[in-house]
Amino acid sequence: MLTRRASLALLAGAAASALIPAGAFAQQGVDLSPEQPGRPRAERDEEAIRLIAKDAKFAKDGVFTVANNTGRFPFSGYASDTKTVIGAEAEIGQLVADALGRKLEIVPTAWADWPLGVVSGKFDAVISNVTVTEQRKEKFDFSTYRKDLLGFYVRKDNEITIRDPRDVAGLKVIVSSGTNQEQILLRWNEANVKAGLKPVEIQYYDDDVVLYLALDSGRADAYLGPNALLSFKAAQEGKTRLAGNFSGGWPTLAEIAVTTRKGAGLADAITHAINTQIRNGNYAKVLARWNLTAEAIPESRTNPPGLPKA
């Protein structure tokens, strides 16, 4: 297996960061205003409110405080005022807050810091692309709101299709180090090699600009990553296309969830609130606004089966 990282010289020459620039979105017609006039809002949901446990405690009176690892659209990012958090996860949080009769407060939080913040009560919940796992269920409760979907994206004129592990044999595939998708790709490659197929040439890059240059130039055949991020970029720029996707829990299904402290007494209420928004169409509007329709779930669940423990 060949491992390739972008050189320091290439990284120094890349002007953009790993985040997709907000200015590029504005040019493509995505609303980056802090007001977000098109954002769906929910009615107060009395049944959801009744499901809040009597001993449940919120971080602030009258507020639904949500941690979010603000960084990448379509999940979340900053509006044109550089301080208001917008994106699909902000809108899911707004629907839940509205349904619970509370004001939404989003707290930008480093990924490594949300678990302690939720357990300690600093945050009521985290809405930040958190996958349900059996290990996490030991400390947290979950209310699902989206499929965990991974995607292979290729240059727009590349005709390859990837439907199963055999389809990646012999390809040059980009993946991020230390991710769930890397572990899946490594398992696929191991199975292919045992079956006598060509190995995958796995490539790693530390900068998105260099990564997409490799894809565009043919140095790489495909990029495996979270479908939501890659599909949004494909829709905005028109340079790549989906070659195949599958669950982030492959070979089992995986889901993304609003995450609360275990036993906090909020999960049932949040799940009911989300299901109401699925039924009344607000949920679909949020996904459509941020190109996430493929990740839609028919119904939210409280504490669904998670992935097997590692």
Side-chain angles (χ1 to χ4, degrees), residues 1-308:
M1 178 180 72
L2 176 63
T3 298
R4 183 182 300 171
R5 287 191 177 273
S7 69
L8 291 176
L10 281 172
L11 290 174
S17 70
L19 303 184
I20 303 172
F25 287 157
Q27 294 171 9
Q28 293 295 330
V30 175
D31 178 18
L32 293 173
S33 69
E35 296 81 12
Q36 291 292 294
R39 173 186 286 186
R41 297 295 296 266
E43 298 291 333
R44 182 182 173 97
D45 188 335
E46 297 298 340
E47 181 58 32
I49 293 171
R50 281 194 289 270
L51 289 172
I52 298 173
K54 292 182 179 179
D55 59 350
K57 295 181 180 179
F58 287 87
K60 295 182 180 180
D61 289 341
V63 177
F64 183 49
T65 306
V66 173
N68 180 270
N69 182 217
T70 308
R72 281 190 171 188
F73 290 111
F75 297 148
S76 61
Y78 289 104
S80 55
D81 65 357
T82 69
K83 62 181 181 180
T84 303
V85 179
I86 62 173
E89 290 180 332
E91 295 190 8
I92 292 293
Q94 185 67 70
L95 292 177
V96 173
D98 288 346
L100 299 183
R102 308 181 79 85
K103 179 182 177 181
L104 175 66
E105 180 177 330
I106 297 177
V107 183
T109 307
W111 177 263
D113 295 338
W114 71 256
L116 179 58
V118 172
V119 170
S120 69
K122 180 180 180 180
F123 314 123
D124 301 318
V126 58
I127 305 179
S128 195
N129 199 42
V130 178
T131 302
V132 180
T133 69
E134 290 301 322
Q135 185 175 23
R136 285 177 179 158
K137 284 168 67 176
E138 294 175 2
K139 292 185 177 181
F140 304 101
D141 286 334
F142 295 95
S143 301
T144 59
Y145 65 93
R146 207 179 73 240
K147 293 178 184 176
D148 184 3
L149 200 62
L150 300 177
F152 282 97
Y153 280 75
V154 299
R155 197 170 65 183
K156 194 171 184 179
D157 61 357
N158 189 329
E159 297 181 354
I160 65 172
T161 299
I162 301 173
R163 292 194 174 93
D164 59 53
R166 289 176 172 266
D167 291 334
V168 301
L171 296 183
K172 300 182 288 265
V173 179
I174 300 169
V175 72
S176 295
S177 179
T179 61
N180 181 52
Q181 54 264 30
E182 180 197 29
Q183 294 306 310
I184 292 173
L185 183 61
L186 290 173
R187 296 204 307 270
W188 282 20
N189 185 54
E190 183 180 4
N192 285 343
V193 171
K194 287 182 179 179
L197 301 176
K198 292 182 179 180
V200 177
E201 180 185 307
I202 300 178
Q203 300 182 7
Y204 301 90
Y205 294 94
D206 295 318
D207 186 278
D208 276 12
V209 173
V210 180
L211 183 159
Y212 277 97
L213 282 174
L215 202 60
D216 187 59
S217 68
R219 293 200 304 272
D221 298 307
Y223 175 24
L224 172 60
N227 186 72
L229 297 177
L230 277 57
S231 66
F232 194 76
K233 186 175 179 69
Q236 295 305 306
E237 299 185 358
K239 296 180 180 180
T240 55
R241 69 168 186 85
L242 176 67
N245 58 17
F246 54 95
S247 173
W250 187 91
T252 60
L253 295 177
E255 293 178 339
I256 303 299
V258 178
T259 306
T260 54
R261 179 175 55 81
K262 189 174 183 66
L266 299 177
D268 287 338
I270 293 171
T271 298
H272 188 281
I274 293 172
N275 283 337
T276 299
Q277 300 311 303
I278 290 174
R279 289 191 294 269
N280 69 20
N282 278 338
Y283 169 79
K285 291 177 183 178
V286 169
L287 298 191
R289 275 168 51 81
W290 297 98
N291 197 40
L292 286 165
T293 303
E295 275 89 321
I297 58 173
E299 184 178 356
S300 179
R301 296 182 294 166
T302 301
N303 293 330
L307 303 179

